[in-house]
């Protein structure tokens, strides 16, 4: 669980409890989006999980994001506070690409949506060059 000592806070001005939603994307698009967000600024991207097989990345976003998320090729789910802590993640074969303690904020869903769109366009352009 994301506890009060984890330092994870929403990127919006509204106060939030320890709940968050997870945006899940294919790893290639997710890594591109992380690069894009890191170029925008270190505070633009929050904690990011990867699965054990490295097929997907999950961005931690403010609670309620799943209610309106509709970006094709991705999914957003409510966690109900069920986000694993750093020790739990490694126990199930996944891990943190960007751990909560290092980042301290959740990713803004509007900024993430734009980065994922740009990432998809970059990937399509690269694939068209083959």
């Amino acid at each position: 669980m994301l506890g009060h000592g984890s330092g994870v806070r929403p990127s919006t001005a509204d106060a939030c409890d320890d709940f968050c939603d997870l945006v899940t994307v294919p790893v290639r698009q997710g890594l591109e989006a992380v690069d894009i967000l890191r170029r925008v600024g270190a505070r633009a991207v929050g904690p990011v999980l990867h699965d054990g097989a490295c097929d997907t990345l999950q961005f931690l976003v403010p609670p309620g994001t799943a209610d309106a998320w509709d970006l094709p090729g991705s999914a957003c789910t409510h966690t109900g506070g069920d986000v694993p802590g750093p020790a739990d993640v490694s126990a199930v074969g996944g891990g943190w690409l960007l751990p909560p303690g290092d980042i301290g904020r959740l990713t803004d869903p509007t900024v993430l949506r734009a980065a994922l769109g740009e990432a998809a366009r970059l990937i399509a352009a690269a694939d068209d060059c083959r």
Side-chain angles (χ1 to χ4, degrees):
M1 300 298 207
L2 292 175
H4 291 285
S6 68
V8 175
R9 287 286 144 233
S11 58
T12 60
D14 299 334
C16 167
D17 54 24
D18 292 332
F19 292 85
C20 65
D21 290 349
L22 293 173
V23 172
T24 303
V25 298
V27 72
R28 187 174 177 202
Q29 184 181 16
L31 289 172
E32 283 289 343
V34 167
D35 285 344
I36 291 164
L37 291 168
R38 303 263 327 210
R39 284 194 305 264
V40 170
R43 304 202 92 171
V45 63
V48 179
L49 286 161
H50 65 81
D51 66 357
C54 290
D55 291 331
T56 63
L57 291 183
Q58 295 179 318
F59 292 81
L60 279 68
V61 294
T65 300
D67 295 336
W69 191 263
D70 63 352
L71 187 66
S74 68
C76 188
T77 54
H78 297 288
T79 64
D82 239 355
V83 178
D88 301 324
V89 170
S90 13
V92 295
W96 290 102
L97 180 66
L98 299 172
D102 293 350
I103 304 300
R105 293 182 164 270
L106 299 177
T107 301
D108 181 295
T110 303
V111 174
L112 178 58
R113 183 185 306 274
L116 289 171
E118 184 177 341
R121 290 187 294 279
L122 288 170
I123 291 168
D127 288 349
D128 285 346
C129 291
R130 291 184 182 173

